[in-house]
């Protein structure tokens, strides 16, 4: 009798777990796994004469796109440069956003909401218009069409995505912890290094992910603010699909980008794990 | 010379005077308690000693050196916070090592002292646990260990037992006394729980509305409160409005409206006509059936309004002729079933001629 109840209980438990996990799993399958598979399939096809893909029956499968990417070092170089630019953008965003998020979280509660509103206010106008505004600022200063302008634009666009998760994290910190640290002999810098910073790492990580990953795929900012030498992997992929009409090559580059992002994510997860158990 | 000297400390928050002209001396090795209702200024005093707040007037000196202008992190004073404030990202050992690291101790010394301190608070096997894995009592012990490990001159404890349930609180009180005796660090303890203060402290300062009402050892505070506030705040007490009718070297004759003549222990310069209150502890009042032979000097009659059977003792609330209520406490030490007085029963209350304290208005 008892075993029977235990069995039904276990089954109910399993059902609940399924009901809870099914929606996100379904979401990931439909919006991530399936598109990635379609991309993978497209990367193995021949390009169609006017864009798209050549009929499968006529041309069959080929590794041409991979061979092409592998043979020309320019692709690896642009991917590496994109990772570098994304990393630099993330770092600059972090350096700018951290003090600001800290300032907001330490402000009186009434003023905080207003400050957060100011952070997200730029979203009220169109992203392209804001980039064009930068062209008007940078143009007369003769700073346009350089790598610096690209990084500036990328930092400008993505700064709120760093500030918001950092603020959400910092705002939850218990002020008693800083008081305890001070009481036990920690000066201002040590309090930041030993208490605030380690406790804010989840916010740093999610903010970095929210900046790093979109920047890797970004093509509008380099196209508008950068010079000919400033194209990133995002521009390259866009070109294959819209200008060169070589979908298989675009799909291959896109897969390489996905692999790079997953690789960085795996590295940072491993770093986080190692830090937890020194 | 006292270890800690507070001289005429005053602290204002806007119009409110949170601490008014407080002067205190705390000796080395003492377990000193600031006792008072919430908002009486006791925590403000603690924060001024720790350095998180500064007095508007007056001075604080530790070992004879003024503390004004010295940052909290530079004071040899550590605090055990009410919320414990354990670092959630550090293990128990990491939390306890924190003050040692701040003091720049060597790695070997840190390891040894963390181990010793873990043993002191009976948490030898919890060094690698994180605070969220601990029970309330264990967190409390880690907070204590962290405060004590670097042997501060002074350990401040801000209602540290407030978050624990009654049973655990009682056990931690015992551990706290043993711990303080063992390490010899001076404790300044803040609480609003008078029983806790009586049980733990060497000396207690009773505070009310920013002022110190009385500083004494627990026994004196309990048996000889200086005014109505202290009498009422510490333990349970019967307060009878009286005026002095006559004085003698060994007693004070009083008249209480509606209760007649009463006698109590003498106090200095209480001239006839002085008005005040007679403060009498329930355990000094003997309860018996109405008309029982008079064996003690003071005697009033009343009716049992209600009683609380508490196991070891029974508390009777008796309505007197003048409508006031009186509490009497009877121990249940007699053989067999304790003798009860039922609700509505007529009873006689008696007490010794020298029981009770006359409190001048």
């Amino acid at each position: 009798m008892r075993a029977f109840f235990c069995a039904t209980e276990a089954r109910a438990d399993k059902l609940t777990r399924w009901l809870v996990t099914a929606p996100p799993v379904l979401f990931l399958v439909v919006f991530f796994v399936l598109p990635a598979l379609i991309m993978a399939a497209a990367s193995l096809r021949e390009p169609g004469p006017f864009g798209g893909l050549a009929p499968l029956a006529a041309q069959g499968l080929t590794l041409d796109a991979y061979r092409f990417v592998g043979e020309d070092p320019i692709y690896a170089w642009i991917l590496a440069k994109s990772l570098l630019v994304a990393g630099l953008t993330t770092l600059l965003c972090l350096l700018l956003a951290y003090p600001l998020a800290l300032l907001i979280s330490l402000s009186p509660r009434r003023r905080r909401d207003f400050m957060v509103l100011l952070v997200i206010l730029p979203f009220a106008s169109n992203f392209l218009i804001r980039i064009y505004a930068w062209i008007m600022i940078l143009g007369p200063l003769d700073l346009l069409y350089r790598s610096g302008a690209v990084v500036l634009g990328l930092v400008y666009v993505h700064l709120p995505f760093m500030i918001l998760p950092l603020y959400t994290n910092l705002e939850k910190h218990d002020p008693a912890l800083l008081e305890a640290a001070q009481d036990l002999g920690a000066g201002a810098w040590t309090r930041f290094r030993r208490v605030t910073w380690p406790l804010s790492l989840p916010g740093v990580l999610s903010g970095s992910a929210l900046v790093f990953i979109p920047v890797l795929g970004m093509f509008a900012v380099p196209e508008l603010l950068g010079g000919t030498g400033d194209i990133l992997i995002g521009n390259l992929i866009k070109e294959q699909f819209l200008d060169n009409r070589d979908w298989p090559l675009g799909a291959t580059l896109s897969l390489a980008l996905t692999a790079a992002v997953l690789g960085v994510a795996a590295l940072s997860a491993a770093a986080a794990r190692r830090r937890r158990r020194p | 010379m006292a270890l800690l000297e507070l001289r005429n400390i005053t602290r204002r928050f806007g119009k409110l005077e949170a601490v008014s002209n407080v002067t205190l001396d705390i000796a080395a090795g003492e377990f000193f308690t600031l006792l008072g209702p919430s908002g009486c200024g006791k925590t403000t005093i603690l924060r001024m000693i720790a350095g998180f707040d500064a007095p508007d007037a007056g001075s604080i000196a530790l070992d004879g050196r003024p503390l004004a202008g010295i940052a909290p992190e530079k004071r040899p004073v550590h605090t055990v916070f009410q919320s414990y404030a354990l670092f959630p990202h550090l293990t128990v050992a990491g939390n306890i090592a924190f003050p040692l690291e701040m003091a720049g101790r060597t790695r070997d010394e840190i390891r040894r002292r963390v181990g010793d301190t873990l043993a002191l608070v009976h948490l030898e096997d919890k060094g690698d646990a994180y605070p969220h894995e601990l029970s309330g009592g264990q967190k409390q012990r880690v907070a204590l260990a962290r405060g004590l490990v670097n042997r501060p001159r002074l350990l401040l404890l801000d209602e540290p037992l407030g978050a624990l349930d009654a049973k655990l609180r009682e056990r931690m009180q015992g551990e706290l006394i043993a711990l303080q005796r063992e390490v010899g660090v001076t404790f300044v303890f803040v609480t609003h729980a008078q029983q806790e203060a009586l049980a733990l402290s060497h000396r207690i300062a009773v505070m009310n509305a920013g002022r110190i009402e009385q500083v004494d050892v627990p026994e004196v505070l309990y048996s000889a409160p200086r005014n109505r506030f202290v009498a009422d705040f510490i333990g349970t007490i019967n307060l009878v409005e009286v005026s002095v009718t006559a004085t003698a070297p060994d007693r004070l004759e009083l008249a209480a409206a509606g209760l007649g003549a009463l006698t109590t222990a003498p106090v200095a310069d209480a001239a006839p006509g002085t008005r005040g209150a007679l403060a009498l502890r329930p355990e000094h009042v003997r309860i018996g059936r109405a008309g029982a032979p008079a064996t003690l000097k003071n005697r009033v009659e009343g009716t049992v309004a209600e009683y609380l059977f508490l196991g070891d003792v029974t508390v009777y609330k008796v309505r007197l002729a003048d409508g006031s209520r009186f509490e009497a406490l009877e121990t249940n030490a007699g053989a067999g079933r304790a003798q009860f007085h039922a609700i509505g029963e007529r009873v006689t209350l008696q007490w010794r001629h020298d029981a009770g304290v006359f409190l001048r208005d």
Side-chain angles (χ1 to χ4, degrees):
Chain A
M1 199 61 184
R2 185 154 176 192
F4 169 76
F5 279 127
C6 285
T8 48
E9 225 166 76
R11 210 175 305 154
D13 217 37
K14 221 179 240 175
L15 185 69
T16 320
R17 213 172 304 161
W18 256 107
L19 285 174
V20 171
T21 51
V25 167
L26 200 69
F27 183 90
L28 279 177
V29 166
V30 172
F31 293 106
F32 178 71
V33 177
L34 279 180
L37 287 176
I38 292 172
M39 277 293 182
S43 72
L44 296 170
R45 302 271 295 273
E46 291 278 358
F50 307 107
L53 302 165
L56 185 59
Q59 305 284 348
L61 295 176
T62 171
L63 284 171
D64 275 356
Y66 288 89
R67 210 169 293 132
F68 194 69
V69 169
E71 275 169 4
D72 195 340
I74 187 75
Y75 295 108
W77 162 240
I78 290 180
L79 182 59
K81 198 177 77 173
S82 302
L83 287 169
L84 205 70
V85 166
L88 183 65
T89 305
T90 309
L91 190 69
L92 289 174
C93 277
L94 184 62
L95 287 175
L96 287 172
Y98 207 106
L100 196 59
L102 207 54
L103 180 78
I104 299 175
S105 71
L106 295 175
S107 300
R109 186 163 288 281
R110 284 175 296 111
R111 219 178 304 160
R112 278 187 228 166
D113 291 341
F114 178 67
M115 294 169 97
V116 170
L117 182 73
L118 288 183
V119 169
I120 58 175
L121 202 58
F123 290 123
S125 67
N126 183 279
F127 155 74
L128 281 177
I129 291 177
R130 285 183 283 134
I131 295 301
Y132 274 103
W134 273 110
I135 293 181
M136 305 183 72
I137 297 170
L138 296 177
L141 296 172
D142 204 20
L143 293 171
L144 209 49
Y145 310 130
R146 308 160 186 271
S147 309
V150 174
V151 172
L152 177 77
L154 290 172
V155 168
Y156 164 74
V157 167
H158 293 93
L159 195 56
F161 298 105
M162 184 64 93
I163 296 175
L164 291 178
L166 273 178
Y167 162 69
T168 316
N169 171 289
L170 289 169
E171 181 228 22
K172 285 200 288 272
H173 289 200
D174 180 2
L177 293 178
L178 287 179
E179 220 162 68
Q182 185 173 17
D183 185 73
L184 296 168
W189 171 243
T190 311
R191 292 199 290 280
F192 175 77
R193 197 172 53 83
R194 293 293 309 268
V195 181
T196 306
W197 174 253
L199 286 175
S200 70
L201 280 179
V204 171
L205 276 181
S206 53
S208 298
L210 283 179
V211 173
F212 185 82
I213 294 170
V215 167
L216 263 186
M218 174 64 75
F219 56 83
V221 175
E223 200 156 290
L224 293 173
L225 300 181
T228 45
D230 293 319
I231 65 163
L232 299 179
I233 187 83
N235 300 81
L236 210 54
I237 293 169
K238 185 211 125 198
E239 257 167 43
Q240 304 317 314
F241 281 100
L242 299 183
D243 306 334
N244 287 357
R245 297 184 183 171
D246 191 345
W247 285 24
L249 182 57
T252 306
L253 290 170
S254 175
L255 283 177
L257 179 59
T258 307
V261 169
L262 289 179
V264 171
L267 276 178
S268 68
R273 249 199 314 281
R274 213 186 36 225
R275 194 177 44 76
R276 197 158 299 169
R277 279 282 163 191
Chain B
M1 189 186 67
L3 174 72
L4 182 75
E5 297 168 31
L6 277 68
R7 290 282 171 272
N8 310 100
I9 296 289
T10 295
R11 178 76 175 108
R12 290 180 207 91
F13 295 113
K15 285 206 161 142
L16 176 81
E17 205 162 84
V19 176
S20 308
N21 199 22
V22 162
T23 294
L24 270 179
D25 281 327
I26 297 173
E30 217 176 358
F31 194 130
F32 190 91
T33 296
L34 293 166
L35 172 67
S38 46
C40 72
K42 53 193 194 300
T43 298
T44 305
I45 291 184
L46 212 61
R47 291 180 63 81
M48 288 191 286
I49 300 173
F52 292 117
D53 202 349
D56 292 314
S59 66
I60 305 174
L62 186 69
D63 282 318
R65 287 207 326 274
L67 285 179
I70 299 179
E73 62 264 38
K74 303 267 192 246
R75 298 187 181 194
V77 176
H78 289 175
T79 307
V80 175
F81 293 85
Q82 187 170 13
S83 63
Y84 312 141
L86 299 178
F87 302 124
H89 58 298
L90 299 180
T91 60
V92 167
N95 267 278
I96 298 175
F98 192 88
L100 298 172
E101 289 165 8
M102 294 304 113
R105 311 273 176 206
T106 64
R107 189 173 292 218
D108 280 344
E109 190 183 355
I110 291 174
R111 194 179 312 117
R112 184 172 51 75
R113 285 176 69 167
V114 168
D116 290 351
T117 310
L118 278 171
L120 192 68
V121 295
H122 315 297
L123 287 174
E124 293 94 331
D125 53 338
K126 292 288 181 197
D128 292 330
Y130 282 87
H132 68 89
E133 297 167 322
L134 303 179
S135 69
Q138 289 169 334
K139 283 184 198 167
Q140 164 69 71
R141 291 206 197 103
V142 176
L144 270 172
R146 191 177 67 174
L148 283 171
V149 69
N150 201 26
R151 291 295 183 269
R153 294 291 289 152
L154 206 58
L155 186 69
L156 310 175
L157 302 104
D158 186 9
E159 308 239 9
L161 307 181
L164 304 179
D165 62 69
K167 200 87 181 167
L168 194 55
R169 180 188 293 218
E170 210 165 287
R171 216 178 76 204
M172 282 309 299
Q173 287 178 1
E175 289 192 19
L176 213 51
I177 295 174
L179 199 61
Q180 199 263 341
R181 194 178 306 147
E182 197 165 330
V183 299
V185 168
T186 309
F187 277 26
V188 179
F189 188 88
V190 156
T191 184
H192 64 269
Q194 45 95 12
Q195 271 185 336
E196 195 166 279
L198 291 177
L200 294 172
S201 323
H202 295 142
R203 281 196 309 149
I204 301 172
V206 181
M207 290 193 65
N208 179 33
R211 294 175 186 284
I212 290 190
E213 301 280 357
Q214 187 172 358
V215 185
D216 257 312
V217 299
E219 297 84 348
V220 173
L221 216 50
Y222 186 79
S223 58
R226 191 180 290 162
N227 56 38
R228 285 182 197 233
F229 179 83
V230 176
D232 202 34
F233 194 76
I234 308 251
T236 316
I237 205 150
N238 298 300
L239 289 170
V240 188
E241 299 300 325
V242 293
S243 61
V244 177
T245 52
T247 58
D250 63 335
R251 65 185 191 278
L252 204 58
E253 302 284 351
L254 307 166
L259 296 178
L262 299 171
T263 307
T264 186
V267 292
D269 47 76
T274 310
R275 300 198 57 82
L278 173 66
L280 191 64
R281 297 282 177 199
E283 64 268 29
H284 288 291
V285 181
R286 188 184 298 169
I287 187 168
R289 290 188 195 290
T295 50
L296 302 178
K297 177 86 177 90
N298 295 297
R299 202 179 146 83
V300 292
E301 302 265 318
T303 314
V304 175
E306 58 181 300
Y307 65 82
L308 302 168
F309 176 71
L310 300 177
D312 51 348
V313 294
T314 304
V315 175
Y316 290 96
K317 305 203 171 172
V318 178
R319 195 178 310 111
L320 302 186
D322 65 346
S324 63
R325 290 220 172 177
F326 227 72
E327 265 187 42
L329 192 138
E330 195 169 46
T331 67
N332 296 327
R337 184 176 176 275
Q339 168 95 49
F340 285 125
H341 300 284
I343 290 174
E345 196 181 313
R346 296 283 301 162
V347 288
T348 300
L349 304 176
Q350 311 181 57
W351 64 93
R352 286 170 55 100
H353 67 282
D354 56 355
V357 187
F358 174 72
L359 303 172
R360 205 189 324 252
D361 277 344

